[in-house]
Amino acid sequence: MIGKLKGVVDSLHEDHVILDVHGVGYVVACSTRTLQKLPRAGEAAVLAIETQVREDAIRLFGFLADSERDWFRLLQNVQGVGSKVALAILSIFTPAELTAAIALQDKAAVSRAPGVGPKLAARIVAELKDKAGAFDAVDPVAARLAGEEAAPAGSTAAQEAISALVNLGYGRPQAATAIAASLKALGEGAETPALIRRGLKELATA
């Protein structure tokens, strides 16, 4: 079984990359997030690989981090989640954001992934909460912020910044993770506009 590939990017496509390893071109399916972070054609890349063997095909799935591959495997333990849906979820969330969403039982956030309806999202967060050991991996600041209700007038700058990011279309776990990182970088006294700007940068590079 193939566990890792190190080679040169031959070409990037909508849902896969062709990785040239010593003259052999491997077709590797990837999440949108992974494809966006891969280098350009002709440059070196390393991918953690999940190999799936079926009666009619052998498919390779590539990930930039082992944690992403771990989530890909774990997600498919849930009935109704195949490789396509698992990649769709990982196209929306980083492993840390997905961990936060599962830990906080945020069905609405998970249902944002293509192919994931409300019922499947509920099943995912219910079945994976214990298996993922999610709370152990969640930034405690992000968990606290994500778990609080939408902020009323006069709330903290962090909650106001999270609300602003949610209004822009980001999921609450993603917004909370970004603002938690922003607080670490800017300090607890940072004001709302600065947190929003920094949060958007965090989300853009996630």
Side-chain angles (χ1 to χ4, degrees):
M1 302 295 283
I2 298 174
K4 182 176 78 171
L5 287 175
K6 182 178 182 180
V8 174
V9 174
D10 181 88
S11 57
L12 292 164
H13 303 268
E14 184 178 351
D15 60 356
H16 69 277
V17 59
I18 297 180
L19 194 66
D20 186 326
V21 182
H22 302 302
V24 178
Y26 291 88
V27 178
V28 185
C30 301
S31 70
T32 301
R33 186 182 293 274
T34 293
L35 289 170
Q36 291 173 343
K37 290 193 172 185
L38 282 172
R40 294 175 296 180
E43 297 184 4
V46 179
L47 289 172
I49 299 295
E50 174 73 3
T51 305
Q52 290 189 351
V53 180
R54 300 289 185 263
E55 291 183 1
D56 58 345
I58 298 175
R59 298 192 66 192
L60 303 178
F61 299 87
F63 310 93
L64 292 176
D66 289 343
S67 58
E68 188 183 8
R69 180 175 60 185
D70 292 342
W71 267 112
F72 178 73
R73 292 169 175 169
L74 191 59
L75 283 165
Q76 291 178 84
N77 290 329
V78 178
Q79 183 180 359
V81 179
S83 58
K84 183 177 181 179
V85 171
L87 285 182
I89 293 171
L90 291 169
S91 293
I92 297 293
F93 297 102
T94 65
E97 291 166 350
L98 183 54
T99 298
I102 298 294
L104 297 165
Q105 298 287 279
D106 193 337
K107 301 183 288 293
V110 177
S111 67
R112 291 176 56 235
V116 180
K119 290 183 179 179
L120 182 55
R123 191 183 307 142
I124 289 170
V125 299
E127 293 186 14
L128 296 186
K129 181 178 180 181
D130 293 334
K131 292 182 180 178
F135 279 116
D136 292 338
V138 174
D139 182 325
V141 176
R144 173 177 58 80
L145 293 174
E148 294 177 4
E149 294 296 327
S155 65
T156 66
Q159 281 299 323
E160 291 173 348
I162 290 172
S163 295
L165 295 181
V166 170
N167 289 336
L168 290 174
Y170 294 100
R172 192 166 184 83
Q174 291 173 301
T177 300
I179 296 304
S182 301
L183 283 171
K184 289 181 180 178
L186 302 176
E188 292 290 336
E191 296 184 353
T192 301
L195 288 172
I196 293 172
R197 288 193 296 270
R198 179 73 185 212
L200 288 170
K201 289 182 180 180
E202 294 287 341
L203 289 164
T205 58

